């Protein structure tokens, strides 16, 4: 089976690509490399060579907003008598803060880009899609664990673009319920890295997320970790979130493909998380215990839009996808630190 993996050179995409190749899929990575590195591809190829695995990998540099490139990719695959059978769509922009200052860019890339992809898929009779959505669409939900049926109320343009795409899926599916097969996966917080340390998370500039900030403090790239509030209504006063190992998340995508392959038609919105809540202080303690590194931190004011507790109900993923996260918080810390030690400057 040939898979088109948009955004396949990013943190999440690179881990999915490696698992797909190990499973024997024919993989086309489509990426603009605006927020990723071409070194990721070399790392994947080297890993597969070292493992003496048979694989087929092709990489296309392009922007999801360029419909002509998308059409040429699908057409070429048909001419090769190897059409694209399923798309995993990760390409997009994802900074919550940036989306507040540049919403037009976010709507253009995330919504217009997805529309281009869907139009091209329809033209070439490819109707199977796994989409990268986000738990940010739940907004300031105070009910935990968060179920897929809960109210959708994003508070940022980034979240609004994800909701817009999900609404587009609903309209598309409803227009022909016997045609499309779509899984929209609502990620919580993917962390860690591949156990080999060859691929991992390499954010541009100062990290926005907790885990890469911790590892950069541990390696000396950042001085101290900022904790936004120690007076939340939690056991230790710090905010609680759902963190999932990147390999568990990647495996969720392969399970989604398996589900689509056995379904006549479907539209499913599915949480992917650990199903557990970890506080900031709990994560710091576990990281220090697992690695022996001390993480200095400072307490800052709460940020607008934050909530005390947020973690997923993952019963739907377990039921439909036969998927369960396997890796512990300790493993997330160890693998994330292994990546950072072996790559102190990321892919640079």
């Amino acid at each position: 089976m040939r898979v088109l993996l948009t955004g396949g050179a990013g943190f999440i995409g690179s881990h999915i690509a490696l698992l797909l190749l190990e499973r024997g899929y024919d993989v086309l990575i489509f990426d603009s490399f605006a927020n990723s590195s071409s070194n990721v591809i070399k790392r994947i190829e080297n890993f597969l060579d070292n493992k003496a695995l048979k694989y087929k990998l092709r990489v296309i540099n392009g922007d999801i907003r360029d419909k002509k490139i998308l059409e040429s990719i699908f057409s070429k695959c048909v001419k090769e008598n190897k059409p694209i059978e399923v798309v995993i769509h990760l390409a997009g922009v994802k900074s919550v803060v940036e989306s507040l200052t540049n919403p037009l860019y976010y709507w253009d890339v995330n919504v217009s880009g997805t529309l281009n992809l869907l139009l091209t898929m329809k033209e070439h009779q490819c109707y199977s899609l796994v989409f990268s959505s986000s738990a940010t669409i739940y907004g300031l939900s105070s009910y935990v664990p968060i179920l897929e049926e809960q109210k959708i109320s994003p508070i940022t343009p980034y979240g609004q673009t994800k909701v817009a795409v999900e609404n587009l899926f609903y309209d598309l599916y409803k227009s022909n319920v016997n045609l499309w097969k779509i899984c929209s996966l609502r990620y919580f917080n993917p962390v860690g890295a591949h156990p080999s340390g060859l691929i991992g998370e390499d954010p541009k500039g100062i990290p926005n997320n907790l885990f890469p900030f911790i590892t950069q403090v541990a390696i000396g790239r950042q001085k101290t970790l900022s904790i936004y509030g120690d007076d939340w209504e939690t056991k230790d006063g710090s905010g609680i979130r759902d963190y999932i190992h990147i390999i568990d998340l990647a495996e969720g995508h392969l399970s989604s493909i398996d589900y689509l392959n056995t379904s006549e038609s479907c539209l499913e919105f599915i949480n992917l998380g650990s199903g557990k809540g970890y506080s900031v202080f709990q994560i710091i303690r576990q990281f220090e215990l697992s690695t022996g590194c001390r993480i200095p931190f400072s307490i800052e004011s709460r940020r607008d839009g934050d909530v005390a507790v947020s973690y997923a109900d993952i019963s739907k993923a377990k039921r439909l996808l036969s998927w369960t996260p396997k890796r512990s918080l300790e493993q997330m810390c160890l693998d994330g630190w292994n990546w950072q030690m072996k790559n102190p400057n990321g892919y640079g």
Side-chain angles (χ1 to χ4, degrees), residues 127 169-182 263-267:
Y127 301 113
F169 292 157
Y170 179 79
D171 290 340
L172 185 62
Y173 177 76
K174 192 176 179 181
S175 69
N176 193 329
V177 295
N178 297 315
L179 197 61
W180 288 89
K181 299 190 287 186
I182 301 172
S263 301
E264 292 186 4
S265 66
C266 62
L267 172 61

Side-chain angles (χ1 to χ4, degrees), residues 1-13:
M1 176 178 283
R2 174 167 278 179
V3 178
L4 175 63
L5 179 59
T6 74
F11 173 46
I12 298 171

Side-chain angles (χ1 to χ4, degrees), residues 8 37 48 55 67 74-75 90 104 138 144 149 171 199 233 247 261 277 302 316-317 330-331 340:
S37 170
L48 292 167
Y55 66 96
K67 194 169 184 294
F74 277 83
S75 296
L90 312 176
L104 290 176
Y138 296 116
V144 289
E149 293 78 15
D171 290 340
I199 56 176
E233 293 179 359
I247 300 296
N261 287 341
R302 295 185 186 185
K316 187 174 183 179
E330 180 181 17
Q331 196 64 50
Q340 191 70 82

Side-chain angles (χ1 to χ4, degrees), residues 191-197 199-200 215 245-247 291 327-341:
V191 297
H194 193 275
S196 67
I199 56 176
T215 61
H245 196 290
I246 185 62
I247 300 296
T291 66
R327 293 155 185 89
S328 65
L329 177 59
E330 180 181 17
Q331 196 64 50
M332 298 178 207
C333 293
L334 289 171
D335 288 341
W337 178 232
N338 181 46
W339 151 257
Q340 191 70 82
M341 281 194 300

Side-chain angles (χ1 to χ4, degrees), residues 85-227:
E85 295 180 66
V86 62
V87 175
I88 299 179
H89 180 32
L90 312 176
V93 281
K94 63 175 186 176
S95 169
V96 169
V97 175
E98 185 186 33
S99 76
L100 293 168
T101 59
N102 200 355
L104 290 176
Y105 176 56
Y106 272 67
W107 279 84
D108 188 26
V109 176
N110 292 353
V111 181
S112 298
T114 301
L115 179 60
N116 280 340
L117 178 63
L118 291 169
L119 287 168
T120 308
M121 289 176 66
K122 183 180 179 182
E123 289 166 8
H124 292 271
Q125 299 180 359
C126 175
Y127 301 113
S128 293
L129 175 68
V130 180
F131 176 65
S132 164
S133 190
S134 170
T136 191
I137 67 172
Y138 296 116
L140 301 179
S141 174
S142 58
Y143 178 83
V144 289
I146 296 175
L147 290 157
E148 289 87 353
E149 293 78 15
Q150 281 182 224
K151 183 181 179 181
I152 303 301
S153 54
I155 59 173
T156 66
Y158 166 66
Q160 293 281 8
T161 64
K162 292 296 185 182
V163 174
V165 171
E166 288 199 349
N167 288 336
L168 177 56
F169 292 157
Y170 179 79
D171 290 340
L172 185 62
Y173 177 76
K174 192 176 179 181
S175 69
N176 193 329
V177 295
N178 297 315
L179 197 61
W180 288 89
K181 299 190 287 186
I182 301 172
C183 279
S184 184
L185 305 179
R186 296 170 177 173
Y187 306 159
F188 279 69
N189 297 281
V191 297
H194 193 275
S196 67
L198 283 174
I199 56 176
E201 187 170 11
D202 184 22
K204 304 282 185 181
I206 298 175
N208 291 318
N209 299 324
L210 177 63
F211 256 83
F213 210 118
I214 287 177
T215 61
Q216 288 193 15
V217 169
I219 204 73
R221 287 176 62 180
Q222 305 293 336
K223 290 184 178 181
T224 59
L225 172 70
S226 296
I227 297 175

Side-chain angles (χ1 to χ4, degrees), residues 12-80:
I12 298 171
S14 58
H15 289 81
I16 295 172
L18 190 53
L19 291 189
L20 286 169
L21 291 162
E22 289 179 325
R23 279 267 297 265
Y25 286 93
D26 191 275
V27 179
L28 299 178
I29 287 179
F30 180 73
D31 204 297
S32 69
F33 295 97
N35 293 300
S36 56
S37 170
S38 60
N39 289 331
V40 172
I41 307 303
K42 298 174 184 176
R43 299 285 185 95
I44 292 173
E45 291 173 340
N46 289 339
F47 182 83
L48 292 167
D49 285 343
N50 292 338
K51 292 290 185 179
L53 296 172
K54 294 180 180 180
Y55 66 96
K56 293 181 181 179
L57 173 63
R58 187 183 302 173
V59 181
I60 301 124
N61 189 334
D63 193 304
I64 197 71
R65 293 169 292 179
D66 190 336
K67 194 169 184 294
K68 288 184 179 180
I69 293 181
L70 289 171
E71 288 174 346
S72 69
I73 293 169
F74 277 83
S75 296
K76 187 174 182 179
C77 290
V78 171
K79 290 178 182 178
E80 294 171 350

